[in-house]
């Protein structure tokens, strides 16, 4: 459950102090599903525009995020990042994201690993694949043609981050990371491995995904001082 605070944690400590005995709180898996936070339930309706050579010229994202029944520590944070990370590692000159948070009778949305960025990352990579499929282009090559270049850093995709300031990619060599992943995965020889596996009755696949991490979620800072 990451860094979230639950009432049971303080209750266990208080009971132990009052009784002078060891106290254990045991939560079942089904209890965890209905009582702890989630960070994934949203619907992303993405539309992408590209030229015939695979160059992406625009993307829109219409996002609906399930916030659960009440607000928690940083409930709105994951949904916000789902919206502002819409362009990912790609040079997309026109981008717009519309995000709506809806209240339901489910458990609250909060920070779990990747903190709202996984849904939008899936959406953009899926649409890039669709561009390649529609145009009959190699999906590796479509990504190569659209990655932000190191010389373009620091790069501003034109979206507003959670602290109300423009989102800025300070540094990074996305093409190098992309090529390194291709090399390590032996992507170029995958088709022959796939054909061999299929002949043996096994089905294997390979996916491609780039990712940039949104950090420095201001405007606050924290410090601990011990004297």
């Amino acid at each position: 459950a990451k860094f979230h605070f639950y009432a049971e944690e303080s209750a266990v400590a208080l009971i132990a102090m009052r009784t002078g005995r060891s106290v254990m709180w045991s939560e079942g898996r089904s209890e965890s599903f209905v009582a702890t936070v989630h960070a994934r339930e949203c619907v992303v309706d993405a539309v992408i525009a590209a030229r015939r050579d695979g160059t992406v010229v625009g993307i829109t994202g219409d996002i609906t995020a399930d916030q659960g029944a009440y607000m928690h520590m940083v409930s709105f944070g994951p949904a916000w990042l789902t919206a502002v990370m819409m362009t990912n590692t790609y040079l997309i000159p026109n981008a717009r994201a519309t995000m709506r948070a809806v209240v339901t009778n489910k458990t609250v949305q909060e920070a779990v690993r990747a903190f709202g960025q996984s849904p939008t990352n899936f959406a953009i990579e899926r649409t890039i694949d669709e561009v390649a499929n529609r145009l009959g282009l190699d999906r590796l090559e479509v990504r190569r043609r659209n990655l932000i270049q190191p010389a373009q850093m620091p790069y501003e995709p034109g979206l507003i981050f959670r602290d109300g300031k423009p989102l800025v990619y300070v540094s990074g060599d996305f093409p190098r990371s992309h090529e390194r992943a291709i090399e390590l995965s032996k992507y170029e020889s995958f088709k022959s491995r796939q054909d061999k596996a299929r002949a043996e009755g096994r089905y294997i696949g390979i996916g491609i995904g780039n990712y940039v991490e949104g950090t420095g979620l201001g405007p606050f800072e924290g410090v601990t001082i011990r004297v």
Side-chain angles (χ1 to χ4, degrees):
K2 209 177 176 182
F3 65 85
H4 303 289
F5 180 78
Y6 296 94
E8 291 85 350
E9 296 166 1
S10 56
V12 168
L14 289 170
I15 294 170
M17 291 168 66
R18 289 195 177 186
T19 62
R21 303 184 62 178
S22 298
V23 179
M24 183 181 73
W25 166 41
S26 178
E27 178 188 71
R29 191 62 176 145
S30 60
E31 292 174 307
S32 176
F33 280 133
V34 299
T36 57
V37 302
H38 79 85
R40 292 291 180 269
E41 189 161 6
C42 70
V43 176
V44 182
D45 185 5
V47 178
I48 196 167
R51 297 190 177 96
R52 293 189 182 277
D53 65 356
T55 303
V56 176
V57 296
I59 190 169
T60 63
D62 190 353
I63 303 158
T64 302
D66 187 336
Q67 293 295 105
Y70 56 92
M71 300 296 282
H72 203 238
M73 292 171 64
V74 287
S75 295
F76 196 61
W80 187 287
L81 284 180
T82 300
V84 301
M85 302 305 292
M86 196 70 210
T87 57
N88 199 19
T89 57
Y90 303 107
L91 182 64
I92 304 178
N94 304 287
R96 183 183 67 206
T98 303
M99 195 279 295
R100 64 182 63 84
V102 297
V103 179
T104 68
N105 64 348
K106 299 176 184 177
T107 185
V108 65
Q109 174 173 267
E110 265 289 359
V112 183
R113 299 313 306 173
F115 196 74
Q117 297 181 162
S118 298
T120 191
N121 187 247
F122 175 84
I124 180 63
E125 294 298 330
R126 184 69 188 87
T127 53
I128 292 288
D129 278 347
E130 191 63 17
V131 167
N133 293 336
R134 294 286 185 94
L135 298 177
L137 300 172
D138 183 88
R139 51 186 179 156
L140 283 181
E141 187 56 36
V142 171
R143 285 172 168 81
R144 286 189 180 112
R145 295 177 187 181
N146 288 286
L147 286 169
I148 301 165
Q149 299 300 307
Q152 295 171 302
M153 298 293 181
Y155 174 77
E156 294 189 27
L159 298 170
I160 303 300
F161 209 44
R162 206 185 83 176
D163 56 2
K165 304 290 181 60
L167 177 63
V168 179
Y169 295 174
V170 177
S171 63
D173 190 338
F174 300 151
R176 181 182 179 188
S177 298
H178 184 68
E179 297 303 324
R180 183 64 174 146
I182 294 168
E183 177 187 344
L184 291 172
S185 65
K186 298 180 174 60
Y187 182 88
E188 302 294 353
S189 64
F190 179 77
K191 184 63 169 60
S192 60
R193 285 181 281 149
Q194 186 181 47
D195 292 342
K196 180 181 178 182
R198 186 167 295 178
E200 299 170 351
R202 296 183 295 113
Y203 293 86
I204 60 175
I206 191 167
I208 309 169
N210 290 296
Y211 180 78
V212 58
E213 176 78 13
T215 59
L217 302 181
F220 47 84
E221 295 180 349
V223 63
T224 298
I225 299 176
R226 290 187 177 89
V227 179

